[in-house]
Structure formats: structure tokens, C-alpha cells
Amino acid sequence: MTPETALHWTQTALILALTVAAPLLSVALAVGLVVSLFQAMTSIQEMTLSVIPKMLAVAAILLLLAPWMLEMMTDFSTEVFRAVADVSH
């Protein structure tokens, strides 16, 4: 395996990880911002108020996007295994 090949697969894996994680992280960020603004406007400083909505929103997005995420990761794994098989011949 050449360094260029290793770099290609590492770069592809990192891009895939960012692509799969981005929707979850962005929803958690948006919900956290909305809850923080709500807490600032109402002067409610309850810790669970900031955690529970984020957990629910991330769980909902995970359920919604799970097939897409699984397809992306499965396609990548298939590509990696094909590349390994090609290198061994």
C-alpha cells in the first residue's frame, strides 16, 4: 500500500465521519441555542432543561436519518473491502 492510498482512505473515512455526524451535531447545536435563549429570557436555570430537549432532538434525527447513515457507512465499508481484495491479488 502506497502512502497516497493510505492518505486517500484516511481522507475518505474522515469526510464520511463528518458527513454522518454533521446532522446530529447541527441539530444538537440548534436545539441547545434555542433552549439557552429560552432560559435566558425566562431566567430558568434548570440543568435538565438543557439536556433533555437535545437528547430527544438528536434521537429523533437519528431515527429519521439512520437508513441514510447506514447506507453511507455500508457503501464505504464495501469500497474498503473491495480495495483490500484488489491489493491482495
Side-chain angles (χ1 to χ4, degrees), residues 26-83:
S26 60
V27 165
L29 178 67
V31 170
L33 181 63
V34 169
V35 169
S36 295
L37 288 173
F38 175 75
Q39 283 181 323
M41 288 188 299
T42 60
S43 298
I44 298 174
Q45 297 302 322
E46 179 65 31
M47 289 301 295
T48 57
L49 186 61
S50 64
V51 175
I52 301 296
K54 279 193 266 187
M55 285 176 38
L56 293 175
V58 168
I61 293 298
L62 185 60
L63 286 174
L64 183 69
L65 296 180
W68 172 76
M69 292 176 171
L70 185 61
E71 181 183 350
M72 295 281 289
M73 292 185 288
T74 304
D75 291 346
F76 175 73
S77 299
T78 304
E79 288 180 37
V80 169
F81 288 131
R82 281 191 184 134

Side-chain angles (χ1 to χ4, degrees), residues 8-31:
H8 165 74
W9 287 112
T10 304
Q11 181 181 11
T12 306
L14 288 174
I15 290 171
L16 176 68
L18 289 173
T19 304
V20 169
L24 298 174
L25 295 174
S26 60
V27 165
L29 178 67
V31 170

